[in-house]
């Protein structure tokens, strides 16, 4: 599911949250890849909700040396405090399986105290080639898992992830 097919522009100006979430929602029950082409995608509100198992968020770029003053590739930018992407299912009391993210630049530089990614109740996931820039919290494993589940994460792989703040 290419986010541009759901109306995302990636022009750095128009809020692309609803379009990206529509791409995620299109994969409910079937799984697949949400592809984020190169561009800057402003994110607001509740952020991107990766709430279905078998769904991966894939961009171009990310951790492969792109932590420079002028990022390129697939940039998810939060201009106000809040979540950029959440990997959890708030609607069901069950875990997410086979999830992941790759080749993305999470940019909270404008938010000052933005949160990048929240992990709830997850099993089997791979996160690689990511940049987490200018965010107060990079990955938060202790935020609001579904009631009664605790904060359970198992069999998660993290590779080539850069945390920092570009100057």
């Amino acid at each position: 599911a290419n986010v541009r097919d759901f109306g995302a522009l990636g022009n750095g100006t128009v809020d692309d949250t609803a379009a990206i979430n529509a791409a995620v929602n299109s994969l409910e029950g079937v799984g697949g890849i949400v592809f984020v082409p190169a561009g800057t995608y402003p994110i607001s509100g509740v952020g991107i909700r990766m709430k279905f198992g078998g769904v991966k968020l894939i961009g171009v770029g990310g951790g492969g040396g792109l932590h420079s003053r002028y990022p390129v590739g697939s940039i998810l930018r939060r201009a106000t405090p809040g979540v950029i992407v959440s990997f959890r299912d708030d609607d069901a009391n069950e875990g997410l399986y086979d999830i992941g993210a790759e080749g993305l630049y999470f940019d909270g530089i404008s938010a000052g105290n933005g949160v990048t990614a929240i992990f709830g109740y997850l099993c089997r996931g791979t996160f690689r080639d990511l940049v987490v820039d200018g965010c107060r919290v990079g990955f938060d494993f202790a935020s609001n898992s579904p009631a009664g589940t605790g904060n359970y994460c198992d069999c998660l792989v993290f590779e080539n992830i850069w945390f920092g703040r570009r100057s």
Side-chain angles (χ1 to χ4, degrees):
N2 187 319
V3 299
R4 298 243 170 121
D5 293 340
F6 292 84
L9 299 178
N11 65 6
T13 304
V14 175
D15 187 343
D16 289 316
T17 309
I20 296 172
N21 280 326
V24 171
N25 292 339
S26 76
L27 297 175
E28 180 179 8
V30 295
I33 292 173
V34 175
F35 178 65
V36 183
T40 300
Y41 299 84
I43 304 301
S44 68
V46 298
I48 300 166
R49 297 190 65 219
M50 299 292 291
K51 57 186 180 176
F52 306 115
V55 178
K56 295 173 178 59
L57 190 63
I58 307 293
V60 292
L66 296 179
H67 45 86
S68 69
R69 185 171 184 166
Y70 305 103
V72 296
S74 302
I75 303 164
L76 301 175
R77 178 168 288 155
R78 183 80 197 206
T80 58
V83 174
I84 294 177
V85 61
S86 171
F87 293 90
R88 66 179 187 204
D89 185 353
D90 292 332
D91 304 323
N93 205 9
E94 58 187 54
L96 296 181
Y97 289 82
D98 300 319
I99 48 88
E102 182 176 330
L104 296 165
Y105 195 118
F106 298 121
D107 184 0
I109 200 80
S110 301
N113 61 349
V115 173
T116 297
I118 292 179
F119 297 87
Y121 182 39
L122 306 178
C123 298
R124 293 193 313 263
T126 302
F127 300 84
R128 67 170 50 101
D129 297 328
L130 304 173
V131 171
V132 180
D133 192 5
C135 297
R136 179 179 55 84
V137 177
F139 293 145
D140 181 354
F141 290 93
S143 293
N144 304 326
S145 291
T149 65
N151 294 306
Y152 179 80
C153 296
D154 187 25
C155 299
L156 300 178
V157 176
F158 295 89
E159 297 175 345
N160 195 27
I161 299 175
W162 184 86
F163 294 90
R165 182 177 178 93
R166 70 178 185 274
S167 55

